[in-house]
Amino acid sequence: MAVYKNNQVKRFPLAPVNKDHGDHYEEIASRALSNSINHLNNAYSQKLSGAEGAVEFRDEGVYTYDNKGRRYLDCLGGYGIFNVGHRHPKVINAVKMQLDQVCLHSQELINPWSAHLASQLAAITPGDLQYSFFCNSGSEAVEGAIKLARLYTGKTEIISTKNAYHGVSMGALSATGRDVFRKPFAPLLNGFSHVEYGNIEAMEAAITEKTAAVILEPIQGEGGINVPFEGYLRKVRQLTEKYGILLILDEVQTGMGRTGRMFACEHESVVPDILCLAKALGGGVMPIGAFMSTAKIWKVLEPNPTIHNSTFGGNPLACSAASACIEVLLEEHLPARAALMGNYFMRKLNELKEKYPEHIFDVRGRGLLIGLEFTSQDLREAIQVELFHRGVIVASTLNSNRTFRIEPPLIITESQINFMIDALESVLVDINSGRLAELQEAAECEAEAVAQVSEPGRIDQLVNNFAITLSGPIADAPGGEVTPLAKIRHRRRPTLISKTRKVRSEKVVGQPNLTPVRLSESGEKKKKAAKPNKTGTKKAAGKKDKPKSKALYRAKNRS
């Protein structure tokens, strides 16, 4: 749904479906939910987009579109990968051109695309960071950074922070600071300790003779978008230099212009010994990760360059996308734009915080990495669901259940920010008006219906219902029978209306707006009774007593 001024809620703006995609998309889309449940994870039965039958169809700029033509303002940004926007033309063209030359490298001949990207990164990263190793994800980048730190120092201990998130592979998970992710896979790697984020004294106390490095996020992302006090990174850097240990900065989420600088460490003029990158590095088109370091540290890899390697790391397609991404960031001044738009976004959110203090607990962030914390987890979940229905995508942070992140593409405009703010405020208005109870009741009904998918024999019915949502109105259901789940998927949840309230007709794009006619018990149409007008005489039923001209109408209103 789209939200307009005066908190009026209207239907989603619809986009025409491109028929050039043929029947293949329709076929896989109709099976998307059942295939996800049966072959990815049964938890997809509880996913909001699954319950609503929303299948991703195409993306462009700051928007993503589902299979029914509904447009969503992407304020999640794929958890921070779409810094230059969805399908930026320059990045897309670079990958298309590369497809016509070399897709995956031979491993034996010199790879010019990875060499070029490494030189670009050396030019834009702070200090004397010079060498790069390319991999495929943030977790892989952190794994490589930990191995490099241990190899260079000859020591084994790594200090991380509580609520940190560095990935889910064994080494990266060992550095992650949340037990809910760690305990199921214990025992993890030895030598990892976790101290309070922002506490210099605790970090110094954790340093021993065996400490190889400290690993930090300049801003904790999954921890709830936690911004440390000013000067924290500088003090950590001084601490590591004092004790002769390495500083690893995990900029997988904060890098590539997200916080208003190309790298978040530049806000405090800190140069790490090892830098981890991923997510937005691939321009939102190809997956790629990297860890970088200085020539001095990199020398330990020279005796055996293949001691750490990756088959697909540094492949020409990914490197071409990353090179184009860097060029876009520089040419379009996107880090500076992130700072500007981030300040505007934060100002608007803080205005809502002052207006609704009983709902919004905190607004924090830097650039376009923003965390919005609510007074309870239930409230955050309800607001997140309603924003989805009103055309805005956000997501919670893994380590802070009361907070959702706002990470839109850096190309977002003021008017698009205003759309999100208006949508958020309209939800808060509905909550204050008492509609939250109706919202929760509808959500429970939906959860109960979707939960039936796990029962034997229900999956086929679910698939049929899901196919109905792709093909057209509910009336198209076989035999005219409609299950509760199908009805739920077609329901416009933001327009939950009590039985005593008038139901507004919904206009369908390309069709006339037909107003429902109420029938009497005998089945005949009810006619409105003629009422006397101001002059005491009867007028035709349904006719408004209003001036015939605009001038008289304005004069009447003024009087």
Side-chain angles (χ1 to χ4, degrees):
M1 287 193 173
V3 181
Y4 298 89
K5 292 182 178 179
N6 302 323
N7 298 316
Q8 295 178 355
V9 180
K10 299 187 178 181
R11 291 180 66 85
F12 268 105
L14 298 179
V17 178
N18 187 354
K19 300 299 182 181
D20 294 338
H21 289 272
D23 297 332
H24 177 65
Y25 174 79
E26 294 294 335
E27 180 181 351
I28 65 172
S30 65
R31 301 176 183 174
L33 183 59
S34 62
N35 284 340
S36 297
I37 293 171
N38 287 329
H39 306 296
L40 292 176
N41 195 313
N42 188 261
Y44 276 87
S45 63
Q46 306 300 323
K47 192 175 176 66
L48 173 61
S49 56
E52 293 300 320
V55 179
E56 193 156 355
F57 177 66
R58 67 181 180 91
D59 308 300
E60 188 172 359
V62 297
Y63 296 108
T64 186
Y65 300 80
D66 70 11
N67 54 304
K68 288 178 274 189
R70 294 180 297 194
R71 186 180 73 182
Y72 303 83
L73 178 65
D74 186 4
C75 287
L76 170 60
Y79 301 107
I81 65 176
F82 295 114
N83 285 18
V84 300
H86 291 270
R87 300 178 63 251
H88 192 286
K90 184 163 187 171
V91 182
I92 291 291
N93 289 335
V95 173
K96 284 183 176 180
M97 290 176 62
Q98 190 61 51
L99 281 168
D100 291 331
Q101 188 173 4
V102 177
C103 296
L104 298 177
H105 51 305
S106 68
Q107 307 289 346
E108 179 58 33
L109 303 180
I110 297 295
N111 182 343
W113 301 279
S114 63
H116 176 62
L117 176 58
S119 68
Q120 287 179 307
L121 288 173
I124 65 172
T125 48
D128 54 352
L129 297 173
Q130 181 180 346
Y131 286 89
S132 298
F133 179 92
F134 296 115
C135 48
N136 308 286
S137 68
S139 291
E140 291 183 43
V142 170
E143 292 281 350
I146 292 171
K147 290 173 68 176
L148 179 60
R150 284 183 164 184
L151 183 63
Y152 176 76
T153 62
K155 302 176 182 179
T156 58
E157 293 182 358
I158 306 290
I159 299 174
S160 183
T161 56
K162 295 178 181 178
N163 271 336
Y165 186 87
H166 296 289
V168 292
S169 53
M170 290 301 280
L173 186 58
S174 301
T176 293
R178 187 86 189 280
D179 285 343
V180 68
F181 298 107
R182 293 165 49 85
K183 281 187 176 180
F185 304 99
L188 300 175
L189 299 186
N190 294 327
F192 285 80
S193 59
H194 301 82
V195 300
E196 184 182 357
Y197 188 70
N199 190 328
I200 293 294
E201 292 75 17
M203 181 168 291
E204 185 168 14
I207 297 175
T208 70
E209 295 179 353
K210 298 180 180 179
T211 302
V214 170
I215 183 167
L216 279 180
E217 299 165 273
I219 298 174
Q220 283 191 332
E222 300 299 342
I225 317 298
N226 298 323
V227 183
F229 65 85
E230 187 175 354
Y232 174 63
L233 288 185
R234 283 197 299 271
K235 289 186 177 182
V236 172
R237 174 75 277 190
Q238 293 168 0
L239 200 61
T240 58
E241 291 175 343
K242 175 182 176 181
Y243 289 95
I245 59 181
L246 301 184
L247 174 60
I248 304 171
L249 286 186
D250 181 349
E251 294 235 26
V252 167
Q253 192 161 190
T254 58
M256 312 311 293
R258 170 61 57 185
T259 66
R261 296 286 183 91
M262 187 64 79
F263 304 99
C265 61
E266 293 179 304
H267 288 285
E268 295 192 20
S269 301
V270 169
V271 180
D273 296 298
I274 305 174
L275 179 68
C276 298
L277 302 172
K279 288 190 182 291
L281 179 60
V285 176
M286 295 295 297
I288 183 172
F291 65 91
M292 301 181 64
S293 192
T294 64
K296 179 181 178 181
I297 295 174
W298 214 258
K299 276 191 173 294
V300 297
L301 296 175
E302 291 180 3
N304 186 358
T306 60
I307 196 171
H308 184 74
N309 58 75
S310 170
T311 300
F312 296 108
N315 70 78
L317 289 174
C319 288
S320 295
S323 292
C325 174
I326 291 172
E327 292 170 8
V328 171
L329 288 169
L330 296 174
E331 292 168 359
E332 299 184 11
H333 308 288
L334 292 186
R337 182 176 182 80
L340 184 65
M341 292 295 103
N343 289 338
Y344 181 77
F345 220 142
M346 293 273 287
R347 185 168 73 251
K348 289 292 185 180
L349 289 170
N350 277 304
E351 289 174 2
L352 290 183
K353 178 188 172 185
E354 293 179 3
K355 196 172 180 180
Y356 303 95
E358 70 277 18
H359 300 315
I360 299 178
F361 179 77
D362 193 22
V363 178
R364 54 184 177 266
R366 180 169 286 164
L368 284 171
L369 180 60
I370 302 171
L372 189 60
E373 184 174 356
F374 296 91
T375 52
S376 71
Q377 178 180 350
D378 290 341
L379 180 61
R380 189 271 303 163
E381 291 175 351
I383 292 175
Q384 183 176 326
V385 168
E386 277 302 290
L387 284 175
F388 178 85
H389 287 295
R390 301 184 188 199
V392 179
I393 300 177
V394 294
S396 63
T397 55
L398 292 178
N399 294 346
S400 179
N401 55 28
R402 299 194 312 180
T403 304
F404 67 57
R405 76 187 81 207
I406 300 173
E407 288 186 72
L410 309 188
I411 61 174
I412 194 170
T413 64
E414 281 192 11
S415 63
Q416 291 160 347
I417 292 173
N418 290 338
F419 178 91
M420 190 276 181
I421 295 296
D422 289 344
L424 176 58
E425 184 168 16
S426 73
V427 176
L428 296 173
V429 167
D430 286 347
I431 290 173
N432 282 345
S433 67
R435 297 177 68 187
L436 180 59
E438 296 178 11
L439 184 75
Q440 291 174 334
E441 182 181 353
E444 291 172 3
C445 177
E446 177 176 312
E448 181 181 353
V450 176
Q452 296 176 359
V453 81
S454 59
E455 299 177 7
R458 291 292 296 174
I459 188 64
D460 292 334
Q461 186 176 4
L462 177 65
V463 174
N464 290 335
N465 294 334
F466 188 71
I468 293 170
T469 68
L470 293 172
S471 60
I474 299 181
D476 293 338
E481 297 182 1
V482 183
T483 64
L485 183 57
K487 292 180 180 179
I488 290 170
R489 284 184 176 147
H490 283 80
R491 186 181 64 240
R492 306 312 307 165
R493 291 186 57 193
T495 56
L496 294 174
I497 302 171
S498 63
K499 294 181 180 179
T500 59
R501 212 173 285 163
K502 290 183 179 180
V503 180
R504 292 179 298 176
S505 61
E506 295 185 344
K507 184 175 181 179
V508 180
V509 175
Q511 296 183 12
N513 188 14
L514 302 177
T515 303
V517 178
R518 290 179 295 174
L519 300 179
S520 64
E521 293 181 359
S522 61
E524 297 178 354
K525 296 181 181 179
K526 285 187 176 182
K527 295 183 179 180
K528 292 184 179 179
K531 297 180 180 180
N533 59 17
K534 292 182 179 179
T535 62
T537 60
K538 288 187 177 182
K539 59 182 178 122
K543 299 279 186 175
K544 291 184 179 180
D545 182 21
K546 64 179 181 180
K548 296 182 179 180
S549 69
K550 292 183 179 179
L552 289 174
Y553 180 73
R554 288 194 294 268
K556 181 179 178 179
N557 286 343
R558 284 197 295 269
S559 62

